[in-house]
Amino acid sequence: MSQLIWNGLFVGSFYALVALGYSMVYGIIKLLNFAHGDLYMLGAFSGFAMLGAMGGLVKSSSLVALFVVLILTMVATGLSGVVIERVAYRPLRGAPRLSLLITAVGASFALEYGTRIVAGPNPKVYPVRLDGTALHVLGARVTWQQIALMAVSVVLMVALNILITRTRQGRAMRAIALDPKACLLMGIDVDKVISRTFFIGSALAGAAGVMAGGYYGKIDFLMGFIIGLKAFTAAVIGGIGNIPGTMLGGLLLGLLESFGTHFVGGQWRDVFAFGFLILFLTVRPTGLLGERVTERV
């Protein structure tokens, strides 16, 4: 049982990092950014390229090299998210939401098959594979590498929560989520805040991609599709637009998959997770921590 809980929390931390980008963007501009999962894939491939360029340094200190690459990848994927927002979404911000959704799907395909053209269609083996000595904690098999990756995920999530709740930038983001037109009249640079939001969310997705590549050892150009769906599921379960709820939703989804795999088999894992989402939304449509919002007219 303790092994199932640990496995669920570990995988759930990846889901939570990716889901936070969904939740932040939706909370501010009410856009379901379906290209967000592919930024996770882009982060994994960026890390793959950087680790390959580092050569022998990777073999001598793999964990340190992975953390250095993780920081660089966060910057790269963050800037990629800003470019996508500027080119694909900003010109259509006043358009009907369906237009934005179609654009998001188009951006997703562009990232996937652009990566396929550059990196090739075959899966890649990551230059770093985080296998290490196992500890036994309360009956669960835990490696130091898992602990390190989990710690990085927790630090990133806590840092984001502090940014949102205790900084000037966070106050601006929350204000725009409530009333962007009033914020514009009050002198807030709405476009700049939205760009920063895309940067932060995309950077977190890129970090998750590097960590997943290092842990699972294999990446491919379609890996962002299913993680995007699951991250969206996690955001909805927690309450999309609610940062603590999204974190909780990611961890809960990881636990559901872990227990579902154990009891009904790995081939039913995704069915179990998405089936739970359907049942859960019939009981609580706003998610765990989401609030029912009434639009003003």
Side-chain angles (χ1 to χ4, degrees):
M1 182 67 72
S2 57
Q3 185 69 58
L4 294 177
I5 293 173
W6 170 251
N7 290 343
L9 292 176
F10 181 72
V11 174
S13 65
F14 291 163
Y15 292 160
L17 282 179
V18 182
L20 285 169
Y22 267 116
S23 200
M24 290 171 65
V25 170
Y26 182 83
I28 288 187
I29 61 174
K30 301 298 181 288
L31 166 67
L32 294 176
N33 181 17
F34 287 115
H36 189 69
D38 295 297
L39 288 165
Y40 163 90
M41 175 273 297
L42 190 63
F45 273 91
S46 298
F48 174 82
M50 293 179 192
L51 288 168
M54 293 173 73
L57 180 62
V58 174
K59 296 180 180 179
S60 61
S61 52
S62 59
L63 196 59
V64 175
L66 190 69
F67 285 145
V68 172
V69 167
L70 183 141
I71 294 171
L72 296 175
T73 299
M74 289 179 69
V75 175
T77 52
L79 292 175
S80 299
V82 172
V83 171
I84 291 171
E85 186 274 331
R86 182 66 184 86
V87 173
Y89 300 148
R90 188 180 297 182
L92 296 174
R93 199 175 294 161
R97 290 186 185 177
L98 182 60
S99 301
L100 277 168
L101 283 175
I102 294 171
T103 303
V105 173
S108 173
F109 281 124
L111 287 173
E112 289 173 3
Y113 289 94
T115 302
R116 183 184 187 278
I117 291 170
V118 174
N122 298 322
K124 306 294 183 184
V125 177
Y126 229 60
V128 171
R129 183 67 190 273
L130 296 179
D131 292 324
T133 306
L135 306 174
H136 292 276
V137 181
L138 300 175
R141 183 181 182 278
V142 180
T143 66
W144 285 110
Q145 285 77 5
Q146 285 179 318
I147 293 172
L149 294 180
M150 188 74 146
V152 171
S153 298
V154 171
V155 167
L156 290 174
M157 287 188 278
V158 170
L160 175 65
N161 193 53
I162 291 173
L163 174 72
I164 297 293
T165 58
R166 300 186 182 181
T167 66
R168 183 186 180 98
Q169 174 70 19
R171 286 194 295 272
M173 291 165 65
R174 286 181 283 132
I176 292 171
L178 291 173
D179 195 332
K181 291 183 180 178
C183 292
L184 201 59
L185 293 173
M186 294 297 292
I188 297 175
D189 192 335
V190 173
D191 287 340
K192 184 179 291 186
V193 174
I194 291 174
S195 292
R196 289 173 181 169
T197 302
F198 270 85
F199 179 90
I200 295 168
S202 302
L204 292 177
V210 172
M211 291 191 287
Y215 182 72
Y216 295 113
K218 188 178 75 171
I219 60 174
D220 65 86
F221 72 98
L222 291 176
M223 65 184 288
F225 176 74
I226 191 66
I227 194 72
L229 290 179
K230 290 183 178 179
F232 176 64
T233 302
V236 172
I237 290 174
I240 193 163
N242 184 294
I243 299 301
T246 300
M247 297 177 191
L248 182 60
L251 297 177
L252 179 59
L253 182 60
L255 289 170
L256 283 170
E257 283 198 356
S258 179
F259 280 90
T261 300
H262 178 75
F263 289 113
V264 302
Q267 69 271 25
W268 295 97
R269 179 182 62 184
D270 296 339
V271 175
F272 187 80
F274 293 118
F276 174 82
L277 172 66
I278 294 170
L279 293 175
F280 179 79
L281 290 179
T282 61
V283 178
R284 190 170 176 83
T286 57
L288 288 172
L289 301 184
E291 298 178 358
R292 194 176 297 276
V293 177
T294 303
E295 291 192 9
R296 292 174 294 177
V297 294

